[in-house]
Amino acid sequence: MRRKLVAGNWKMHGLRAQLPEIEAIAAAAAANPSVDAALCVPYTLIHPAAQVAGVLPIGAQDLHEADKGAHTGCISAPMLVEEGATLTIVGHSERRGDQHETSHDAYMKSSAAHRHGLTVILCVGETQVERDAGRAERVVQAQIEKSLPDDAHGDWLTLAYEPRWAIGTGRTPTMEEIAAMHAIARAKLHQMIGDPALDVRILYGGSVTGANAGEILAVENVDGALVGGASLTADKFVPIIQAAKALSA
Ligand code: PGA
C-alpha cells in the first residue's frame, strides 16, 4: 500500500518572512498523519525552515553530484544534510531546461543524494513539442531508463511525472492521459527493478491546485503530487494535503 505524498516545490521563492507559511503547512501536515507531506525550499531557507517544520520534512530542489570540490555556486548532499534537509528534488524540468541537465546528471545526483541518506524525488516529463509529435511515452521511458539510480527502492526514491507544458501554465493533461503515462512509468520501473517497482510512489506534477487535486490523486498509479505555485501559501497547499487525506485510509 503506497501512502500518498504531497510535496511542495517553492522554486526561487521565499524569504524568512515566509516562515510562518511553513509553520502553518507543518501544522497541517501534523494534523493529517495519514498523508506524507514535504516541502522543498531554496537553499537559504532549509535551515530556518527545518527549525520550525516539526514533522514536515524539508528538502532541497537540486544538488551537485560531488561531495565537495571546485564547483563555484554549487551545493553538495553533505551540505544539505548538515542544514537539515532530508530529501531533494532531482532532474526537475526547469533544471533540465534552464541548466541543460541531462538524465545522466539526474542519475549521478540521485545517487549522490542517496549515498548521504537523502530521499529523492526524481522528475521526468515531456515537452509540448514531444507530446504533439507522439513521442511523450518514449521520452518519459528514456528519461526513466537513463536517470533511475542503481538499487532504486521505494523506501528512498519517488518518481514524479511532470509534463513540462503543464508546469506553471494552469493546463493539465486529461485524467486518461495521466493514467496512461503513470501506467507506462510503472511498467518501465517494473521492467528495470522488478516487483520493488510496486513500492515506488509516482507523483503527478503540473498545475495541481486544491480544485483539481481530488480528481488527479484518485487516478490509478497516482501516489501523490508535486506542487509548485500552489505550495507557496498554506491556504493553497493545505487543501491539497486534505484532498490526499480524503483518499487515504
Ligand atoms: P506548478 O509546478 O505546480 O506551479 O505547475 C509544479 C512543479 O514544477 O513541480
Side-chain angles (χ1 to χ4, degrees):
M1 183 63 194
R2 298 182 297 266
R3 283 166 60 86
K4 298 267 192 230
L5 168 62
V6 178
N9 173 11
W10 274 22
K11 310 190 179 183
M12 199 171 72
H13 296 283
L15 298 169
R16 285 175 194 233
Q18 275 73 56
L19 287 173
E21 294 291 346
I22 297 178
E23 284 182 82
I25 291 166
N32 293 281
S34 58
V35 174
D36 290 337
L39 201 57
C40 296
V41 296
Y43 300 132
T44 49
L45 280 184
I46 291 173
H47 182 69
Q51 302 288 302
V52 301
V55 298
L56 177 72
I58 296 297
Q61 302 163 15
D62 182 46
L63 76 165
H64 196 278
E65 67 193 52
D67 292 357
K68 59 183 176 181
H71 304 293
T72 303
C74 298
I75 196 156
S76 70
M79 294 170 182
L80 297 177
V81 170
E82 189 170 78
E83 291 305 291
T86 57
L87 74 149
T88 185
I89 296 170
V90 169
H92 189 277
S93 69
E94 285 152 16
R95 303 290 314 175
R96 291 178 188 260
D98 301 351
Q99 269 75 36
H100 311 294
E101 286 187 8
T102 64
S103 287
H104 182 68
D105 294 327
Y107 166 83
M108 296 297 286
K109 290 177 178 209
S110 306
S111 306
H114 178 50
R115 249 191 342 265
H116 293 280
L118 294 165
T119 61
V120 173
I121 299 176
L122 173 63
C123 302
V124 296
E126 82 285 358
T127 63
Q128 184 72 65
V129 170
E130 290 162 342
R131 176 160 284 263
D132 291 347
R135 293 174 46 225
E137 296 179 5
R138 268 174 293 147
V139 166
V140 168
Q141 286 171 326
Q143 287 174 339
I144 296 171
E145 173 112 29
K146 293 183 188 143
S147 53
L148 195 75
D150 300 337
D151 306 321
H153 195 279
D155 284 350
W156 59 273
L157 186 94
T158 296
L159 196 69
Y161 168 57
E162 299 202 299
R164 284 199 204 183
W165 49 274
I167 293 178
T169 59
R171 293 165 54 214
T172 54
T174 65
M175 297 309 123
E176 291 73 23
E177 287 169 332
I178 294 175
M181 193 60 91
H182 279 241
I184 284 163
R186 179 81 60 208
K188 183 71 197 172
L189 287 172
H190 196 268
Q191 184 198 2
M192 291 178 73
I193 63 172
D195 283 347
L198 300 174
D199 297 326
V200 175
R201 290 185 283 200
I202 307 177
L203 312 184
Y204 168 79
S207 297
V208 175
T209 66
N212 63 21
E215 191 182 14
I216 291 172
L217 291 170
V219 172
E220 192 173 359
N221 278 311
V222 174
D223 305 310
L226 182 55
V227 184
S231 72
L232 291 172
T233 56
D235 69 326
K236 290 205 171 73
F237 195 45
V238 173
I240 302 174
I241 296 172
Q242 288 167 341
K245 182 195 178 181
L247 293 160
S248 304

